[in-house]
Amino acid sequence: MEGMLSYHKAINSEVLVVEGWMPAAKLDEAYEEYVKAEYEYLFVTGHQIAEDLTLYSNSFLVVYLQGIIPSDTLEKSHQITILAESTLGKNDPAHFGIFINDKPLDDFSTVEKEGIFTTKWIGGSNEADSLMIHFDSDMVYKGKDRNLVIKSIIWDTLDMLAQNPPRFIDRGRPFGLHRQNIQAGTYAQLGAEHFRQKGVADHKIIPVSNLYENKKRTYGNALALTEWFMENDFHPDAITLVSSQHHSRRTFMMYNALLNTEMEVGMVSIEDEPKTTKNHSKQGLVIRETLALWYYLIFIIPWV
């Protein structure tokens, strides 16, 4: 089943197209491909980043507090309120832990479709550098996928997410290599900023944001890029796509279906790290991507 998901096709092209939703470590590998093959243009595609924060696959949401919460050195009790839900509802709860400065504070299981979870932290607010939520009960069973959706994080009476604090999602372990900055409006903008920080010249990077409400992720990203090519009268002979290993065949098939009459489409597949956690997150990834691939094959690609 895994072999069906991965695809690699090496071609010569001057255009590299990277899916901006990938974690930082995979974007770094895409950057290495960009430098090695000396591409002329670097396109970054990506859909809108949801206001609600969805955690999956043993992930950590890290929110940095300094400059956001009121500055205070006085030691006192601060109330932390999380509004959260499991994607599977009250009959299949999600479990998560809350940390301040990487130290455990409390943990909860969702009990209804949308629950309110409250705890307290004692200290001066100047001592609180970060708040972290760890979702540790990811599960895929018979096609059902349990994720954790964070609706809001309130420090005393301050709605943290409304303040747009620096925030990241870490996969696998906190503060590691697989980190996504989720402050940008779209994953295209997020990925473009990552490549700027790596030193790619600004005029070489073209973020193409997928703003479709009903065509999110791969389909909408490919459609947005196709329309950008048409609107800007940009007609390369070939493009090379970059995506993660288990997502690469679906990515190639979608972009190829839209673009192959105009140009040749190649594919660089970035290997996914093996996961052997107690939650079997690699197995869940394979199941999700297999179901998504068949959905695209039956309901989307034949009709584009």
Side-chain angles (χ1 to χ4, degrees):
M1 187 161 59
E2 278 193 72
M4 178 178 69
L5 299 174
S6 181
Y7 184 77
H8 188 93
K9 179 185 177 183
I11 64 170
N12 293 321
S13 70
E14 294 187 339
V15 176
L16 188 67
V17 179
V18 179
E19 296 204 300
W21 58 263
M22 294 191 297
K26 286 188 172 62
L27 293 179
D28 286 344
E29 291 190 52
Y31 169 75
E32 292 174 7
E33 166 67 20
Y34 170 79
V35 172
K36 178 183 69 175
E38 299 181 338
Y39 292 91
E40 185 67 24
Y41 301 101
L42 176 57
F43 284 80
V44 188
T45 64
H47 59 282
Q48 291 172 295
I49 299 174
E51 293 181 5
D52 296 339
L53 302 174
T54 301
L55 306 185
Y56 56 94
S57 298
N58 189 37
S59 54
F60 301 78
L61 169 64
V62 182
V63 179
Y64 288 96
L65 304 175
Q66 294 304 302
I68 304 298
I69 60 177
S71 177
D72 188 357
T73 59
L74 181 66
E75 182 171 298
K76 62 180 182 179
S77 177
H78 296 277
Q79 180 169 292
I80 298 167
T81 304
I82 310 292
L83 180 62
E85 67 182 36
S86 166
T87 54
L88 298 183
K90 64 181 180 180
N91 294 324
D92 203 333
H95 182 266
F96 63 97
I98 301 175
F99 298 70
I100 296 292
N101 298 341
D102 202 24
K103 297 185 185 306
L105 177 65
D106 213 335
D107 69 290
F108 299 97
S109 291
T110 56
V111 293
E112 53 188 86
K113 183 61 177 174
E114 186 172 278
I116 299 174
F117 308 92
T118 302
T119 189
K120 292 185 182 296
W121 179 78
I122 297 176
S125 59
N126 285 5
E127 300 172 6
D129 176 67
S130 66
L131 181 149
M132 181 168 70
I133 296 174
H134 177 204
F135 170 50
D136 59 7
S137 63
D138 185 37
M139 181 277 293
V140 176
Y141 179 70
K142 293 186 177 179
K144 295 182 178 180
D145 187 5
R146 181 200 295 138
N147 297 320
L148 174 69
V149 181
I150 304 297
K151 299 282 190 175
S152 65
I153 302 173
I154 299 173
W155 180 278
D156 293 331
T157 60
L158 182 69
D159 186 343
M160 292 289 303
L161 299 184
Q163 308 304 309
N164 196 29
R167 54 189 186 267
F168 301 83
I169 289 181
D170 295 333
R171 309 294 182 196
R173 65 185 181 90
F175 312 105
L177 294 176
H178 298 277
R179 161 163 283 205
Q180 287 182 328
N181 180 335
I182 54 173
Q183 248 184 314
T186 69
Y187 285 105
Q189 296 167 338
L190 178 64
E193 180 59 29
H194 184 92
F195 292 121
R196 289 189 190 99
Q197 293 178 7
K198 297 292 288 186
V200 180
D202 194 59
H203 69 278
K204 298 280 189 178
I205 306 171
I206 301 98
V208 179
S209 295
N210 165 20
L211 302 180
Y212 291 106
E213 289 292 333
N214 60 341
K215 297 183 181 69
K216 297 182 178 180
R217 302 192 184 271
T218 306
Y219 177 26
N221 296 346
L223 190 59
L225 183 68
T226 303
E227 292 179 348
W228 191 97
F229 285 167
M230 294 176 60
E231 291 169 1
N232 291 274
D233 197 25
F234 186 78
H235 304 288
D237 293 329
I239 65 170
T240 296
L241 308 169
V242 177
S243 190
S244 63
Q245 176 185 2
H246 291 90
H247 193 68
S248 57
R249 185 175 294 274
R250 177 155 61 105
T251 299
F252 172 80
M253 293 177 67
M254 189 68 254
Y255 282 80
N256 191 58
L258 288 167
L259 295 169
N260 71 347
T261 59
E262 302 291 331
M263 65 198 69
E264 186 178 10
V265 179
M267 184 79 228
V268 173
S269 173
I270 297 177
E271 185 175 358
D272 290 315
E273 277 193 0
K275 298 284 186 72
T276 56
T277 68
K278 64 180 181 180
N279 298 310
H280 307 293
S281 55
K282 182 180 179 182
Q283 181 182 9
L285 171 65
V286 170
I287 293 172
R288 285 195 298 270
E289 286 294 343
T290 300
L291 292 173
L293 176 60
W294 281 109
Y295 179 84
Y296 269 60
L297 283 169
I298 296 170
F299 295 107
I300 296 182
I301 290 175
W303 314 106
V304 298

